[in-house]
Amino acid sequence: MENIVLASRSTYRSQILGKLPLTFTSCASSVDETPYPNELPRDLAVRLSITKAHAVAQQYPNHLIIGSDQVAACGDILLGKPGNRTNALQQLMVQSGKKASFYTGICVLDSRRGIFKTDLDVCHVYFKNLNEDQLNRYLDREQPYECAGSFKSEGFGIALFSKIEGEDPNALVGLPLIKLIELLNQFGVAIP
């Protein structure tokens, strides 16, 4: 079995990757996540997943490195991690009654050979029409200030949605396992 590194300290991504029969190390990857001018959310997600994988390659020169990044958008508005309650409420109010799209880029880098492969998962979340009182009750309960889009779909955030469209329920939380397994298979990691 290859030495595998998850280029992230995200507990959510680690928990998802832990569903697979793999031994892996997690390593933070400090990269500038600023979008390029006119960069589409899908392109940003893939670029950042590649950048994160490469950012830890020098520390792990003989490994398969998994980089992943998620970019959320509601129409033309990018939805980052809100950081605080005020920003979270604002983001949720923007999404009320609308569709938000979550683009999760995934990259597997063989740091020994310098070869990498990427993929992209797209998930659409349809929000109920919600008023400020409902959103405040949600924020009181979950405080999702470090989550893109200001909700936790794996928690009480599911109550905010009318439906979710996507191929992989793990992708919305931050790591598309279906696409990751396919990429790992291409590098000779047999799952299942």
Side-chain angles (χ1 to χ4, degrees):
M1 183 67 63
E2 296 282 341
N3 294 320
I4 296 176
V5 176
L6 176 62
S8 173
R9 284 277 190 214
S10 163
T11 56
Y12 304 113
R13 286 194 179 104
S14 290
Q15 287 172 352
I16 294 170
L17 187 55
K19 294 179 181 182
L20 301 181
L22 301 171
T23 301
F24 65 94
T25 301
S26 293
C27 177
S29 59
S30 298
V31 300
D32 181 0
E33 297 186 8
T34 306
Y36 294 153
N38 302 314
E39 187 173 27
L40 296 174
R42 63 187 324 113
D43 297 334
L44 175 61
V46 172
R47 177 175 64 83
L48 291 176
S49 72
I50 295 167
T51 304
K52 288 179 177 186
H54 279 90
V56 301
Q58 287 185 349
Q59 290 176 258
Y60 298 95
N62 295 300
H63 294 71
L64 284 181
I65 302 171
I66 300 166
S68 184
D69 195 76
Q70 185 176 76
V71 177
C74 186
D76 294 334
I77 300 169
L78 286 181
L79 304 169
K81 296 175 183 174
N84 62 52
R85 185 186 183 93
T86 302
N87 293 341
L89 180 60
Q90 183 180 11
Q91 278 191 0
L92 290 171
M93 288 177 71
V94 164
Q95 295 173 92
S96 176
K98 296 183 180 132
K99 174 180 82 172
S101 299
F102 288 76
Y103 303 92
T104 308
I106 188 84
C107 173
V108 176
L109 165 68
D110 178 340
S111 60
R112 181 177 60 247
R113 298 183 295 156
I115 297 169
F116 67 92
K117 296 181 182 287
T118 64
D119 209 335
L120 177 75
D121 184 277
V122 181
C123 183
H124 303 291
V125 176
Y126 294 82
F127 281 80
K128 296 175 184 175
N129 286 308
L130 300 160
N131 62 44
E132 194 169 333
D133 287 340
Q134 292 170 308
L135 296 174
N136 275 314
R137 281 196 303 275
Y138 169 68
L139 292 173
D140 287 342
R141 181 176 182 124
E142 206 143 61
Q143 303 173 10
Y145 307 139
E146 296 305 315
C147 299
S150 302
F151 64 83
K152 295 180 184 178
S153 62
E154 69 278 19
F156 188 52
I158 198 78
L160 305 176
F161 312 148
S162 59
K163 72 176 179 176
I164 298 172
E165 290 177 347
E167 298 174 5
D168 186 340
N170 299 292
L172 190 54
V173 183
L175 190 65
L177 283 186
I178 293 171
K179 293 190 182 292
L180 175 59
I181 290 166
E182 176 58 32
L183 292 176
L184 289 170
N185 287 168
Q186 292 176 39
F187 283 97
V189 178
I191 303 172

